């Protein structure tokens, strides 16, 4: 069967509570949460916001990656059921022990008084269970940072977080409950398909190609179909905007899109690599510059599901990855049946919500230059996120600066902002003004003024136009303070969140 040809619909199959579940008639955009609560009557998992923000719906999904089982938290309220095909689902119901005793995660929550009204509790328990599984074999309990990160997507309105954090520490001190990875791996192997899934319901089809070849064909055959990756933007088009997506092409099974390679000073990240894995890889090369952005990008369940390709393809003017990718000179790789196109990322954005992606194309990868020594030249790079909360918040302004210095002379400058224009945009005039100048306070001050020639930001619910311009200028000032040749300030002197 050729991708794109009309076929008999195949059922969605996933593993849940010891058996293979088969679904034949659910609409394509039925969420995992709706299916759990309304069809399977497993009501332990709750719905709070239906937009990935509160964590009440947190579940764990298991899948095979290179023959190994990976278990990650996701928000079931924004994930469509057909994307679960070939995977395993774990909910709070799975924690029930054969002898009716509580799982150590639950027991610790009881002992530490981690629950009051209890609405958020199943979500917290699943995030803690995922952390518990990652502790397997470690003698030390999780650190405070690991706990905070694991819980970054869970909100509690009545208990407060201290007892829950204590439960996260306590759970590892209780008698251990082992998890059978081998049985899960065997069950998942049984579920793998040798042909792509084409699931049709209500006259709409969910295509899940497994290879680049299949993806190219199905994209050419159904150019109007909605591309779906991690669903952390698209999911909300359905749950909040009630949009009908029509046919869907799901990228989550395309093995080639999940590959990362490093060659000739460039890190290439496949468009289907999760945000968490992508940021982990890039932070190995830019730890000081990008670790805070990694940690502050949404929450762990969103980063587990969402992809770097989706962030870039969505092209939101307030997306967090584009400014730093553009400042580093990253390229975007687009692919269709007729070949590849590669362009600087900044050229991909044409206007508000309008990109250069053609009807038969998809984003294949991002190519990110790695730090290099270039004779007497050195590049200073920083990115900053301004939002109302530390994590799980969209930026009001996101800035990235990269300047190449030879001695104290600016030889090259790349500056990009999110939240300052209709697209993620470079500050062309400011960059021109900086080139050839001495990197001193006077240069920095006039560059701050020049930013007003590059941008005319809007006022919206996140920030006013005046605020945005002011903080953009101040962030350039901060960048200079951190990178000036004489007495550069350490992170602890300029960053309210610094732990150093
Ligand atoms: C609670 C919450 C918090 C968030 N916080 C942040 C944040 O802090 N910073 C931030 O920048 N974003 C944030 N987001 C937005 C979102 O998580 C990111 O934009 C994410 O990277 C989208 O990736 P995805 O794989 O989920 O894309 P999807 O939702 O699947 O797709 C997004 C768009 O990209 C298209 N698309 C996806 N992949 C491709 C491809 N390979 N080729 C062509 N088109 C493609 C889709 O058709 C769609 O138009 C948040 C979202 C939520 C729900
Ligand atoms: S219901 Fe709030 S994150 Fe899903
Ligand atoms: S216990 Fe009530 S919201 Fe957390």
């Amino acid at each position: 069967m050729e991708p794109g040809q009309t076929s008999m619909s195949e059922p969605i199959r996933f593993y849940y509570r010891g058996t293979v579940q088969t679904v034949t008639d659910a609409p394509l955009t039925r969420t995992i949460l709706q299916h759990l609560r309304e069809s399977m009557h497993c009501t332990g998992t709750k719905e709070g916001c239906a937009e990935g923000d509160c964590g009440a719906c947190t579940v764990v999904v298991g899948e095979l990656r290179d023959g190994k089982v990976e278990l990650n938290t996701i928000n079931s309220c924004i994930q469509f059921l057909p994307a679960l095909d070939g995977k395993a689902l774990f909910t709070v119901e799975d924690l029930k022990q054969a002898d009716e005793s509580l799982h150590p995660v639950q027991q610790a929550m009881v002992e530490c008084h981690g629950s009051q009204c209890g609405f958020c509790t199943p979500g917290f328990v699943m995030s803690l269970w995922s952390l518990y599984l990652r502790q397997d074999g470690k003698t030390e309990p999780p650190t405070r940072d690991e706990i905070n990160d694991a819980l970054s997507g869970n909100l509690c309105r009545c208990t407060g977080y201290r007892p829950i954090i204590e439960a996260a520490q306590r759970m590892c001190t209780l008698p251990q409950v082992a998890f059978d990875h081998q049985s899960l791996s065997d069950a998942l192997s049984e579920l793998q398909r040798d042909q792509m899934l084409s699931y049709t319901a209500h006259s709409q089809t969910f295509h899940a190609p497994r290879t680049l070849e299949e993806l190219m064909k199905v994209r050419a055959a159904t150019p109007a179909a909605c591309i779906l990756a991690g669903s952390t933007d698209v999911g909300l088009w359905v749950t909040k905007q009630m949009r009908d997506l029509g046919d869907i092409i799901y990228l989550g099974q395309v093995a080639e899109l999940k590959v990362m390679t490093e060659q000739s000073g460039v890190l290439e990240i496949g468009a289907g690599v999760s945000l968490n894995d992508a940021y982990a890889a890039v932070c190995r090369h830019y730890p000081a510059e990008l670790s805070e952005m990694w940690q502050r990008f949404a929450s762990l369940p969103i980063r587990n599901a969402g992809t770097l390709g989706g962030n870039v393809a969505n092209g939101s003017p307030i997306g967090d990855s584009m400014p730093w990718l553009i400042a580093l000179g990253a390229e975007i790789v687009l692919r269709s049946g007729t070949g590849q196109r590669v362009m600087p990322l900044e050229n991909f954005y044409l206007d508000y919500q309008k990109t250069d992606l053609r009807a038969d194309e998809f984003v294949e990868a991002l190519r990110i230059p790695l730090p290099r020594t270039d004779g007497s030249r050195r590049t200073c790079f920083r990115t900053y996120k301004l939002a109302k909360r530390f994590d799980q918040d969209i930026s009001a302004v996101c800035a990235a600066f990269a300047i190449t210095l030879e001695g104290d002379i600016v030889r090259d400058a790349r500056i990009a902002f999110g939240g300052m224009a209709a697209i993620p945009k470079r500050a062309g005039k400011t960059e021109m003004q900086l080139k050839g100048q001495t990197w001193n306070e006077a240069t920095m001050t006039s560059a701050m003024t020049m930013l007003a020639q590059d941008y005319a930001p809007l006022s919206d619910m996140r920030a006013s136009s005046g605020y945005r311009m002011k903080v953009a200028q101040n962030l350039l000032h901060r960048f200079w303070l951190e990178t000036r040749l004489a007495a550069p300030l350490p992170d602890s002197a300029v960053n309210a969140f610094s732990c150093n």
Side-chain angles (χ1 to χ4, degrees):
M1 176 74 54
E2 284 292 296
Q5 283 185 338
T6 314
S7 65
M8 289 284 290
S9 178
E10 296 146 40
I12 304 161
R13 292 176 311 147
F14 63 96
Y15 186 76
Y16 182 52
R17 302 190 72 190
T19 56
V20 175
Q21 305 288 324
T22 302
V23 180
T24 53
D25 58 355
L28 269 50
T29 53
R30 185 164 178 79
T31 65
I32 295 176
L33 182 63
Q34 285 165 338
H35 187 73
L36 268 173
R37 292 181 58 83
E38 293 162 19
S39 303
M40 303 186 77
H41 307 294
C42 293
T43 51
T45 309
K46 306 294 183 228
E47 178 174 77
C49 63
E51 60 181 51
D53 254 322
C54 75
C57 67
T58 307
V59 297
V60 169
V61 166
E63 56 189 306
L64 282 181
R65 186 82 50 84
D66 299 327
K68 279 201 189 134
V69 171
E70 274 197 11
L71 291 152
N72 287 310
T73 47
I74 57 151
N75 304 98
S76 62
C77 65
I78 52 171
Q79 295 296 327
F80 304 142
L81 191 61
L84 204 51
D85 186 72
K87 302 176 188 170
L89 175 66
F90 295 90
T91 64
V92 71
E93 283 86 356
D94 284 279
L95 269 59
K96 187 173 176 181
Q97 303 300 294
D99 64 358
E100 299 286 317
S101 64
L102 294 178
H103 187 279
V105 170
Q106 296 166 310
Q107 186 62 38
M109 284 286 271
V110 172
E111 290 179 14
C112 297
H113 308 285
S115 177
Q116 285 189 28
C117 81
F119 194 80
C120 69
T121 308
F124 271 98
V125 163
M126 291 314 287
S127 288
L128 290 176
W129 184 62
S130 169
L131 179 63
Y132 185 85
L133 295 180
R134 287 203 299 279
Q135 286 304 112
D136 192 21
K138 291 187 194 163
T139 47
E140 295 294 311
T143 64
R144 179 66 187 254
D145 281 349
E146 287 168 338
I147 295 169
N148 287 351
D149 197 45
L151 300 180
S152 56
N154 295 91
L155 295 182
C156 176
R157 283 288 171 256
C158 42
T159 303
Y161 298 100
R162 188 180 53 77
I164 301 173
I165 289 167
E166 282 172 5
Q169 288 155 341
R170 174 83 61 99
M171 67 186 184
C172 297
T173 66
L174 300 174
Q176 289 190 5
V177 170
F179 182 80
D180 188 351
H181 283 87
Q182 190 55 53
S183 299
L184 180 59
S185 173
D186 295 344
L188 287 173
S189 301
E190 289 285 304
L191 278 183
Q192 300 316 298
R193 295 176 182 274
D194 44 22
Q195 289 213 315
M196 66 178 252
L197 168 72
S198 291
Y199 167 78
T200 303
H202 308 268
S203 308
Q204 295 175 334
T205 303
F206 186 96
H207 307 275
R210 296 155 314 134
T211 63
L212 218 47
E213 197 61 35
E214 287 179 349
L215 171 57
M216 286 187 286
K217 285 184 181 160
V218 80
R219 179 76 169 132
T222 55
C226 172
I227 295 184
L228 177 72
S231 197
T232 62
D233 284 314
V234 173
L236 281 69
W237 300 352
V238 175
T239 62
K240 293 289 138 173
Q241 297 171 10
M242 314 300 163
R243 273 161 69 173
D244 181 352
L245 301 184
D247 294 336
I248 291 175
I249 302 174
Y250 176 56
L251 307 184
Q253 302 284 3
V254 183
E256 292 102 314
L257 291 184
K258 295 186 186 258
V259 170
M260 290 191 271
T261 53
E262 247 180 77
Q263 220 176 359
S264 312
V266 172
L267 172 65
E268 181 163 316
I269 299 184
V273 173
S274 75
L275 284 160
N276 216 41
D277 290 349
Y279 269 86
V282 88
C283 282
R284 279 196 280 280
H285 299 280
Y286 295 102
E289 295 88 348
L290 282 170
S291 293
E292 185 181 310
M293 184 61 85
W294 176 16
Q295 206 187 352
R296 296 190 61 199
F297 194 115
S299 63
L300 184 58
I302 294 288
R303 295 195 302 269
N304 286 335
T307 60
L308 191 60
N311 201 217
V312 163
N314 195 43
S316 161
I318 45 172
D320 283 335
S321 306
M322 289 73 97
W324 65 260
L325 284 166
I326 292 172
L328 286 178
E331 292 176 326
I332 185 166
V333 182
L334 307 173
R335 160 82 70 175
S336 72
T338 56
Q340 236 184 18
R341 284 198 299 150
V342 181
M343 66 177 78
L345 181 58
E346 59 267 36
N347 295 354
F348 183 62
Y349 302 109
L350 305 178
D351 206 341
Y352 181 62
Q353 293 197 332
K354 193 164 183 293
T355 67
D356 196 24
L357 190 76
R358 295 177 188 154
D360 61 345
E361 280 180 331
F362 53 89
V363 179
E364 184 181 4
L366 275 308
R367 290 185 183 156
I368 305 167
L370 296 176
R372 62 174 186 275
T373 41
D374 185 5
S376 55
R377 297 186 176 199
R378 68 183 180 101
T379 298
C380 306
F381 160 60
R382 295 286 189 283
T383 187
Y384 307 117
K385 170 169 179 162
L386 279 189
K388 290 182 178 141
R389 290 180 307 207
F390 181 79
D391 42 27
Q392 192 68 311
D393 204 1
I394 306 279
S395 296
V397 172
C398 184
F401 307 95
I403 55 161
T404 303
L405 296 174
E406 188 168 14
D408 60 356
I409 304 297
V410 180
R411 292 296 175 205
D412 194 14
R414 295 180 66 90
I415 298 173
F417 276 91
M420 294 290 286
I423 54 172
K425 185 170 173 271
R426 274 179 83 173
K429 292 181 179 144
T430 309
E431 290 176 2
M432 282 302 291
Q433 198 193 43
L434 282 169
K435 282 183 203 171
Q437 302 299 310
T438 306
W439 189 226
N440 60 21
E441 189 161 8
T443 300
M444 178 273 297
T445 308
S446 52
M448 280 172 69
T449 310
M450 187 54 92
L451 279 178
Q453 304 288 314
D454 277 311
Y455 300 105
L458 291 176
S459 294
D460 64 16
M461 63 182 176
R462 284 197 181 83
S464 67
S465 162
Y467 171 85
R468 285 192 157 108
M469 181 53 72
K470 188 79 191 157
V471 296
Q473 291 169 328
N474 287 349
L475 288 172
L476 177 56
H477 190 170
R478 172 175 164 184
F479 175 65
W480 178 75
L481 289 170
E482 286 187 69
T483 58
R484 63 187 178 188
L485 273 82
L489 293 182
D491 190 51
S492 55
V494 285
N495 184 359
F497 299 123
S498 173
C499 303
N500 303 320

